[in-house]
Structure formats: structure tokens, C-alpha cells
Amino acid sequence: MTFEPEQLGQSQADLAEKLRDLRKRAGLTGDRLAKRCNMSQSQISKFETGKKTPKLVDVERILRALDAPPELTAEITALARIANTEWQSKRSTWRRGLEKRQRELAALEGEAKALRYFLPAMVTGLLATPEYVRASLTHSPGDTSRTVSRKLERQTVLYDVSKSFTFLLTEQAARWAVVPAAAMAVQLDRIVSLSRLPNVRIGIIPCGTPLARGPMNTFTVYDERLATVENFTGRMVFGDARDVAEYLEVFALFERSARFGEAARELLGAWAGSYRA
């Protein structure tokens, strides 16, 4: 499915309107539809007024209850997928302020219990040294000093043992020289150190590891409820359970091919040594 940014902004209102019109054409009140779907009348009302976005499974239950024809089912189901997806452009993030983005990330990390990070290109901020963080923000506009501070403050979440963290890094991500060689050695040492935390698992996928799927994008999965996927121009946020499940499946595939524990630390240590040399 192709997502256009303007579609993502309008889709919730369009979905609400179509669900409301379909119910009325079926000659049902909101209360009667709610009983057929085993939902509350207030829930149906929120879906139809756009106050709440229904999940894909909710939409499918409503469509079955209304005996919607196949072509309309396909159209509304596609609209529900879009409504459960959010596009956050990099430019809009810059306009809102990078610090606000850091607060949003801190909130996501604070709410989640199991966090999974797939990193095919660079080290993420939670694992980064101050020098690496500063260098990674050089392309961002304005004074980034406070953003650097916020990023480093967020790292304290790693020491919350009520949460579990799994980071998967390709060899490229670990070795990509964002900072000079001596600083890269320190960065790799930092990852080794964090890998010893009891609630942090760091996996390394070396070059040459046979994998049928390519490492297309950086992505993060928060529990089983949200996935964020990044590219050069922004990020997409997937809230539908089926989309999240697909990212969990891809993550599990990469995880099975990664090296953890001492095997990962040996690789990281060797790469740090090559930078020092």
C-alpha cells in the first residue's frame, strides 16, 4: 500500500464518515450495531465522530456486522490501515523543536516494558557517547546543545531493570565512522559496557551473515503496540496490531542471526582495537 502524507492526515475523518454512512444505509442505530459487534454504544459513537481511531480488527467486526460488500470492505479496510499510521516528517520535527521530540521519545520509553531496536546504519542515541551524539546532530538546524543533553538524560532508562532492551546492530552500524577513530573506539567500548547490564541484550550481525531479507530501515518496536520506522525524510508510526506484528517477525528473523554475549563483545572489542591501531 502506498501512503501519501496528506492521506495520513485526512484518513481518520474519512474513515469515521464512511463507517457512519454505512451504518445508516444498513438502517441500524448505533446501539444496535454495538450489540452486533459486542462493543459499547459509546465506542461506536467515538469511531463515527472521529474522536477515536478504530483498530483494524474493530473495523473488520463492524464491516461483518453490517454485511458490507467485498469492494467496500476492501476500501474501508485500506482506509483503516492508513488511519492507524502516522507520518512525522523531519522538517515538521525541526519546526516543533528537537527537544520536544526527545520528550516524546522519553515518554515512549517510559511507558514500554519490552523495547526492541534494529539498527542497520548507525548507533542509536541510547547507546551513544556524548561525542557521537553531538556528531550525529551536526546536520540538524540551530543550537543542538540542549538536545544533546536530553539525549544523554534519556540513557538513564537503560538502568531501569523493570524494562528489557534488545538492540540489534549490523556491522556497518557499529563501525560507521560518525566520529574520528579514537572516539569510535570509545563508542564501541561503551556498547560493550552496556551489553553487561542485566536487562540489556546487544546483538551484532557481522557482514557476510546469510540473510534472505535486507536491512531496509532503522525501526523500533515498543512492546507489541507500536512500531516506528525511520528514513532520511522522517518516520512512520504504525499503531495497527498487524503492522506491529510484522515488524516483530522481521526483528525475530534478524535476532536469530545475531551474535550476543561474549561473541558480540569479542567482535566489538576487535573493531575498537582496529580503530585504536
Side-chain angles (χ1 to χ4, degrees):
M1 180 184 299
T2 300
F3 294 105
E4 297 293 338
E6 59 271 17
Q7 279 183 289
L8 300 178
Q10 183 61 30
S11 58
Q12 186 171 343
D14 290 344
L15 178 61
E17 182 182 353
K18 286 187 178 294
L19 290 175
R20 183 172 63 251
D21 290 348
L22 188 61
R23 173 184 59 77
K24 288 180 177 179
R25 287 206 299 271
L28 292 179
T29 64
D31 187 55
R32 286 183 62 192
L33 175 59
K35 286 184 171 66
R36 287 192 183 187
C37 299
N38 195 26
M39 297 180 183
S40 68
Q41 192 277 330
S42 64
Q43 191 173 14
I44 294 292
S45 176
K46 288 176 182 176
F47 292 161
E48 292 186 357
T49 56
K51 292 180 179 177
K52 184 177 181 181
T53 302
K55 298 296 185 184
L56 192 56
V57 290
D58 298 325
V59 171
E60 289 174 343
R61 286 163 66 188
I62 292 170
L63 293 173
R64 282 196 299 269
L66 294 172
D67 197 23
E71 63 276 8
L72 195 56
T73 295
E75 178 188 347
I76 294 178
T77 299
L79 197 57
R81 288 283 302 278
I82 298 172
N84 279 278
T85 304
E86 180 186 354
W87 168 252
Q88 299 174 348
S89 73
K90 186 158 289 186
R91 288 183 178 85
S92 67
T93 299
W94 288 342
R95 285 195 299 269
R96 291 187 301 116
L98 294 177
E99 285 185 75
K100 184 171 183 180
R101 174 62 185 160
Q102 294 305 306
R103 289 195 295 272
E104 291 168 351
L105 287 171
L108 285 172
E109 292 154 1
E111 293 168 2
K113 291 297 182 183
L115 300 95
R116 301 170 177 87
Y117 301 80
F118 178 62
L119 308 166
M122 287 176 62
V123 174
T124 188
L126 290 182
L127 303 178
T129 62
E131 188 167 355
Y132 193 103
V133 170
R134 281 192 292 273
S136 68
L137 290 170
T138 53
H139 65 285
S140 303
D143 181 7
T144 59
S145 57
R146 293 181 68 178
T147 304
V148 171
S149 298
R150 295 289 187 193
K151 273 181 170 282
L152 297 176
E153 286 170 12
R154 280 177 42 225
Q155 294 178 356
T156 59
V157 75
L158 294 174
Y159 300 92
D160 183 348
V161 293
S162 70
K163 302 177 184 296
S164 66
F165 298 85
T166 304
F167 298 89
L168 298 182
L169 295 89
T170 63
E171 180 174 340
Q172 172 175 299
R175 301 185 72 175
W176 190 262
V178 174
V179 289
M184 279 301 300
V186 175
Q187 174 60 70
L188 291 164
D189 291 343
R190 164 79 174 160
I191 298 173
V192 169
S193 175
L194 291 173
S195 74
R196 300 184 188 280
L197 293 175
N199 59 323
V200 174
R201 296 175 69 239
I202 295 179
I204 303 295
I205 305 174
C207 290
T209 302
L211 276 167
R213 295 196 72 160
M216 293 178 65
N217 296 95
T218 295
F219 67 85
T220 305
V221 185
Y222 300 91
D223 296 322
E224 297 179 356
R225 61 185 178 83
L226 197 73
T228 64
V229 185
E230 297 181 29
N231 59 33
F232 277 116
T233 57
R235 66 187 62 81
M236 295 185 79
V237 182
F238 295 93
D240 185 78
R242 297 185 188 184
D243 291 321
V244 176
E246 187 163 346
Y247 278 99
L248 284 169
E249 184 180 325
V250 173
F251 191 89
L253 171 68
F254 292 145
E255 188 175 13
R256 288 193 292 271
S257 297
R259 300 186 192 180
F260 290 89
E262 285 304 321
R265 287 189 278 270
E266 285 178 12
L267 284 171
L268 292 165
W271 297 335
S274 68
Y275 273 118
R276 289 191 171 91

